[in-house]
Amino acid sequence: QLQLVESGGGLVQPGGSLRLSCAASGFTLDYYAIGWSRQAPGKEREAVSCISGNGVSTNYADSVKGRFTISRDNAKNTVYLQMNSLKPEDTALYYCRRYYYCSGPAVSSWGQGTQVTVSS
């Protein structure tokens, strides 16, 4: 079964950091771009960041540029989202999905996500 599983969320104070993981099972991550999206309560889902299959190309939403860093370790079949200087408005359920390329449509469904809550 082809699956992506998100983990690493939690409760953190403003200004804190978290690292999210997106682990693949049932397939090799190497050939796919992976994108992170998030959905805050009462808001539409938004794209946060994406990384190409070879890791050379990345993109970020303006709201997270300079604070979030996406990376991948194909040997571990995992993509990471390092989130620094977290703000309360970063509170959301974070998801990862698989793409052939970042500007294309997703080729996997939404998973369970991992909850990030930024609060004092």
Side-chain angles (χ1 to χ4, degrees):
Q1 183 180 1
L2 308 183
Q3 195 175 9
L4 288 171
V5 178
E6 305 94 340
S7 64
L11 173 63
V12 63
Q13 291 187 341
S17 298
L18 282 174
R19 188 177 78 159
L20 305 185
S21 298
C22 173
S25 63
F27 68 99
T28 301
L29 208 55
D30 300 33
Y31 306 112
Y32 297 98
I34 298 294
W36 285 95
S37 299
R38 67 186 181 185
Q39 186 165 24
K43 294 188 177 181
E44 292 189 358
R45 199 168 279 157
E46 64 168 336
V48 173
S49 182
C50 188
I51 186 167
S52 61
N54 60 9
V56 171
S57 177
T58 59
N59 61 51
Y60 299 91
D62 287 344
S63 57
V64 306
K65 275 181 185 174
R67 300 188 298 120
F68 290 12
T69 303
I70 192 170
S71 63
R72 63 191 300 150
D73 185 340
N74 286 345
K76 294 184 178 180
N77 232 20
T78 301
V79 168
Y80 304 98
L81 185 68
Q82 178 67 43
M83 306 187 299
N84 299 327
S85 302
L86 282 162
K87 304 175 181 179
E89 51 263 44
D90 294 318
T91 295
L93 193 57
Y94 284 72
Y95 304 89
C96 62
R97 286 203 297 175
R98 183 164 49 102
Y99 301 75
Y100 289 125
Y101 44 93
C102 285
S103 58
V107 295
S108 66
S109 56
W110 297 106
Q112 297 296 311
T114 185
Q115 178 67 41
V116 171
T117 302
V118 185
S119 175
S120 55

